[in-house]
Amino acid sequence: MPAVSDTSPILGLAIIGHLNLLQEQFGEIYIPQAVLAELKVNENFHGASVIQDALTTGWLKAKDIQNKPLAQSLFLELDQGEAEAITLAMDLGVDMIVMDEKIGRERARGLGLKTVGVLGVLLTAKKQGRISSLKDAMMALRNEVGFFISDDLYRQILAQAGE
């Protein structure tokens, strides 16, 4: 089942060495041009080469959005990457979007899309035996990426994973 992704899940997973989890869970990941621009794959940062490899091998696919009025209306509340990711999902008829930002997820669900964030991807991977330690992955997100995870959410996710 393909999905559309916003920037932060791709970037976060690439930096901590787990970008492959998106391919394993969804097969193909589509991103709008705004997300491709935000990823800055031609710059030298930890994880950029992994993202470039995903684009080259073809499971990460950049696409142009079609419904520009929808993107413009979403852009009133969301950043361009989020607005275009939701629009691309609607354009392609893909019902799953990988996005971490709360308002973006709310808008996506309001349009009938299913949402999952980077923590949900990691939790699924742990349950499937694809990663050995959810705790290590979440700590890497916090320390290497600067990803905010509240202490309550951190404990809740670890409990769901049985760690």
Side-chain angles (χ1 to χ4, degrees), residues 6 16 20 33-34 37 42 46-47 58-59 70 88 96 125 128 159:
D6 186 29
I16 67 168
N20 62 306
Q33 294 298 325
N42 294 323
H46 186 63
W59 67 264
L70 174 59
L88 185 61
M96 177 62 74
Q128 294 174 342

Side-chain angles (χ1 to χ4, degrees), residues 17 26 28-29 31 46 49 62 64 67 69 72 74 79 84-86 105 109 124 128 136 143 148 153-154 158:
F26 303 107
E28 295 179 323
I29 298 290
I31 58 172
H46 186 63
S49 64
D64 292 323
N67 190 343
Q72 289 171 341
L74 290 167
D79 77 22
E84 285 194 15
I86 293 169
R105 290 168 64 125
R109 286 192 295 268
T124 297
Q128 294 174 342
D136 290 348
N143 297 332
F148 176 76
L153 182 58
Y154 181 81
L158 287 178

Side-chain angles (χ1 to χ4, degrees), residues 11 62 99 140:
L11 196 56
M99 182 178 288

